[in-house]
DNA sequence: TTCCTTGCAAACGATTTGCATTGGA
DNA sequence: TCCAATGCAAATCGTTTGCAAGGAA
């Protein structure tokens, strides 16, 4: 999906909810399209050189999450990072550096993904839990920290 | 491993570090041995009916993590839950409820675990990243929230 | 006695919210 | 025009820390 069509999809989604695709929201989305991993509010704030106030970034993140455009990344201590939802960005997993905390996306080929899917379904069928999604976090050291 | 031998292993580990296995630390460990998933500081605080001050719980968690007895579960927004480290509790994965945030342990059989291992190694070999551990989080709804 | 540990309260960092103002359809 | 969205500052929430008192070796 091109960056342009992504913005279009997102604008549609917001309009369906009677919300506007404002410049703050566009900035957040644009940064996340470019980024190679999820970003936190303060990382976005830095990315914008402080031009967008933190409170506006937080409010944008709330709205974009509520409308299913962004998803929180469950993988960092003490802060929340966000990324584009799967329908926009495709399924993938993460590397998480145990030293510097950086998070990087990683693509997974179909063969492996199918075996993970099978495993998730098999496991969930044994307990009272309805699986909706899964996330494989690979913890280790990134090139810089190794 | 029995609960008794767990406490013994843990006490040894602390003594090696010239630290004491105090009652606050014992309470935290005991609660995590019993729990069917990782717990946060405030969940532990509730568990103890407020008898152990939050600051002591936090300090216990820090010490127990530094000595490799507990591992943080990087999960839900804004708070950190802890669980016994793998050498005490064995490898497993998690169900995370997207509504209430509850986290529950789930065992994985060897066959499936081997395929996840293979996948992690394969993926990591393609990029400059040294894998140390991995966590498969299955997101969905728990019985109560379904 | 010595030093680790605790309890309380104040300090902190990330996130949220009240309110008056701005801005987009 | 009208109401969503913003900016600022104050409030909250989870977590950390300084310091004096308590407790185990």
């Amino acid at each position: 999906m091109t960056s342009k069509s992504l913005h279009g999809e997102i604008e549609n989604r917001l309009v369906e909810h009677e919300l506007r695709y404002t410049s703050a929201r566009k900035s957040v989305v644009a940064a996340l399209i470019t980024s190679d991993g999820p970003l936190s509010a303060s990382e976005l704030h830095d990315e914008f050189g402080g031009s967008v106030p933190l409170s506006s970034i937080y409010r944008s993140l709330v709205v974009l999450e509520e409308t299913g455009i962004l998803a929180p990344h469950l993988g960092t201590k003490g802060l929340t990072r966000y990324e584009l939802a799967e329908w926009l960005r495709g399924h993938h997993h993460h590397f998480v550096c145990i030293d510097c905390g950086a998070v990087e996306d990683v693509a997974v080929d179909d063969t492996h993904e199918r075996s993970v899917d099978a495993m998730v379904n098999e496991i969930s069928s044994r307990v009272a839990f309805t699986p909706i999604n899964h996330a494989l976090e690979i913890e280790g050291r990134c090139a810089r920290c190794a």
Side-chain angles (χ1 to χ4, degrees), chain A:
Chain A
M1 212 171 338
T2 69
S3 165
K4 192 167 200 172
S5 65
L6 279 173
H7 282 290
E9 295 272 354
I10 289 164
E11 172 147 35
N12 290 342
R13 173 72 71 115
L14 285 171
V15 169
E16 281 169 22
H17 289 259
E18 304 184 338
L19 297 167
R20 298 168 190 162
Y21 198 27
T22 61
S23 66
R25 292 169 190 175
K26 270 180 200 147
S27 299
V28 167
V29 167
L32 291 175
I33 289 177
T34 308
S35 173
D36 57 356
L39 298 175
S40 68
S42 71
E43 286 166 342
L44 287 163
H45 187 251
D46 292 347
E47 187 91 5
F48 306 146
S51 61
V52 182
L54 263 174
S55 65
S56 296
I57 293 176
Y58 278 111
R59 276 199 258 239
S60 294
L61 292 172
V62 168
V63 167
L64 293 168
E65 181 184 0
E66 282 173 349
T67 49
I69 292 161
L70 299 186
H73 170 244
L74 311 177
T76 319
K77 242 174 137 167
L79 58 80
T80 307
R81 284 185 235 251
Y82 291 85
E83 60 188 356
L84 293 181
E86 291 213 348
W87 64 281
L88 293 165
R89 195 197 65 264
H91 186 63
H92 65 275
H93 295 302
H94 293 123
F95 283 132
V96 181
C97 179
I98 59 177
D99 284 344
C100 69
V103 180
E104 195 170 327
D105 291 351
V106 50
V108 179
D109 47 87
D110 287 355
T111 310
H112 283 134
E113 192 51 45
R114 267 194 294 276
S115 75
V116 173
D117 275 341
M119 173 167 158
V120 166
N121 290 330
E122 213 262 13
I123 291 170
S124 303
S125 69
R126 299 199 307 251
V127 294
F129 196 94
T130 312
I132 292 176
N133 199 0
H134 67 261
L136 177 65
E137 306 285 308
I138 304 177
E139 301 160 39
R141 285 206 180 74
C142 70
R144 253 177 309 158
C145 295

Short mmCIF file of all heavy atoms in Angstrom, two decimals, chain A residues 23 27 98 141:
data_model
loop_
_atom_site.label_atom_id
_atom_site.label_comp_id
_atom_site.label_asym_id
_atom_site.label_seq_id
_atom_site.Cartn_x
_atom_site.Cartn_y
_atom_site.Cartn_z
N SER A 23 -4.03 18.16 11.12
CA SER A 23 -2.59 18.15 10.86
C SER A 23 -1.83 17.39 11.94
O SER A 23 -0.87 16.68 11.64
CB SER A 23 -2.06 19.58 10.72
OG SER A 23 -2.17 20.25 11.95
N SER A 27 0.42 14.19 11.12
CA SER A 27 1.83 14.12 11.49
C SER A 27 2.14 12.80 12.18
O SER A 27 3.14 12.14 11.87
CB SER A 27 2.20 15.27 12.44
OG SER A 27 1.99 16.50 11.80
N ILE A 98 17.07 -5.55 24.70
CA ILE A 98 16.97 -5.55 26.16
C ILE A 98 17.88 -4.50 26.78
O ILE A 98 17.75 -4.22 27.97
CB ILE A 98 17.33 -6.93 26.77
CG1 ILE A 98 18.74 -7.34 26.37
CG2 ILE A 98 16.32 -7.98 26.33
CD1 ILE A 98 19.17 -8.64 26.98
N ARG A 141 19.77 -8.43 21.70
CA ARG A 141 20.53 -7.18 21.57
C ARG A 141 20.60 -6.74 20.12
O ARG A 141 20.88 -7.54 19.23
CB ARG A 141 21.95 -7.36 22.11
CG ARG A 141 21.98 -7.38 23.61
CD ARG A 141 23.31 -6.94 24.21
NE ARG A 141 23.16 -7.01 25.66
CZ ARG A 141 23.14 -8.17 26.34
NH1 ARG A 141 23.29 -9.32 25.68
NH2 ARG A 141 22.97 -8.18 27.64
#
